[in-house]
Amino acid sequence: MSNIEQTLSIIKPDAVERNLENEIKEIFKNNGFSIVKEKKIQIEKSEAEIFYKVHETKPFFNELCAYLSSGPIVVMVLEKDNAVLRNRELMGATNPKDAEEGTIRKKYGISIDKNSVHGSDSVDNAKIEINFFFKD
Ligand code: CDP
Ligand code: MG
């Protein structure tokens, strides 16, 4: 049975800065994802703080929000069968050092903070995150 889902993906500032936008989009398309919405934007730190609210008590929260708002990002809605999980698999582990061969973070990630991509971690959070960036 098919289970088409949407998930939110972000190409983070470190990857946009290195002109990896098109290469990373090709990886998504080659892995069967449709990019149904996309925009290149730069957000305010205050917006990053809302987006990453689940991490507000973590020691890395301030740097994380400063980083996500430090330069242009590409925000995309990806669609595919089981998109949330499939995207997490394609991204690889949070720390690029732990990411498996063939994953986006293994290939492009610089460090645990500059790990090139974001992806929603559940269907519920995907809906919240898509709505955050693409309110109709
Ligand atoms: O992005 P992912 O869902 O894999 O990881 P997370 O645990 O939700 O953390 C969100 C983001 O915070 C990560 O992608 C990293 O950029 C950053 N982070 C960090 O800078 N230092 C850590 N020790 C953990 C996460
Ligand atoms: Mg996460």
Side-chain angles (χ1 to χ4, degrees):
M1 233 175 59
S2 82
N3 177 42
I4 297 294
E5 293 174 351
Q6 293 190 339
T7 191
L8 187 89
S9 171
I10 303 177
I11 304 177
K12 293 184 176 182
D14 66 275
V16 174
E17 189 175 83
R18 287 176 287 152
N19 289 314
L20 295 170
E21 175 183 343
N22 289 336
E23 237 175 281
I24 292 174
K25 281 191 211 161
E26 281 307 305
I27 294 176
F28 288 127
K29 290 183 212 162
N30 291 339
N31 281 273
F33 290 90
S34 305
I35 301 172
V36 298
K37 289 182 186 172
E38 66 169 286
K39 59 182 178 183
K40 191 183 224 172
I41 53 172
Q42 181 162 0
I43 61 171
E44 299 291 334
K45 189 174 180 217
S46 57
E47 296 175 284
E49 286 166 355
I50 298 168
F51 179 73
Y52 274 132
K53 193 159 175 49
V54 310
H55 293 305
E56 69 184 337
T57 61
K58 309 270 172 63
F60 57 82
F61 180 67
N62 185 51
E63 280 186 75
L64 173 61
C65 296
Y67 167 63
L68 194 70
S69 58
S70 67
I73 58 176
V74 178
V75 188
M76 296 170 288
V77 177
L78 303 181
E79 190 172 279
K80 175 186 158 118
D81 208 54
N82 296 313
V84 173
L85 181 61
R86 294 282 100 84
N87 180 42
R88 295 291 304 191
E89 291 170 348
L90 184 57
M91 286 163 56
T94 306
N95 190 339
K97 285 186 191 138
D98 301 329
E100 284 183 42
E101 219 48 70
T103 63
I104 294 172
R105 282 168 165 174
K106 173 75 178 185
K107 191 162 187 203
Y108 302 115
I110 296 168
S111 56
I112 191 163
D113 49 327
K114 295 184 174 169
N115 58 7
S116 303
V117 281
H118 166 86
S120 310
D121 64 2
S122 69
V123 172
D124 285 349
N125 283 337
K127 287 181 184 149
I128 293 167
E129 292 179 358
I130 289 168
N131 189 53
F132 181 84
F133 283 109
F134 297 98
K135 281 191 202 77
D136 290 324

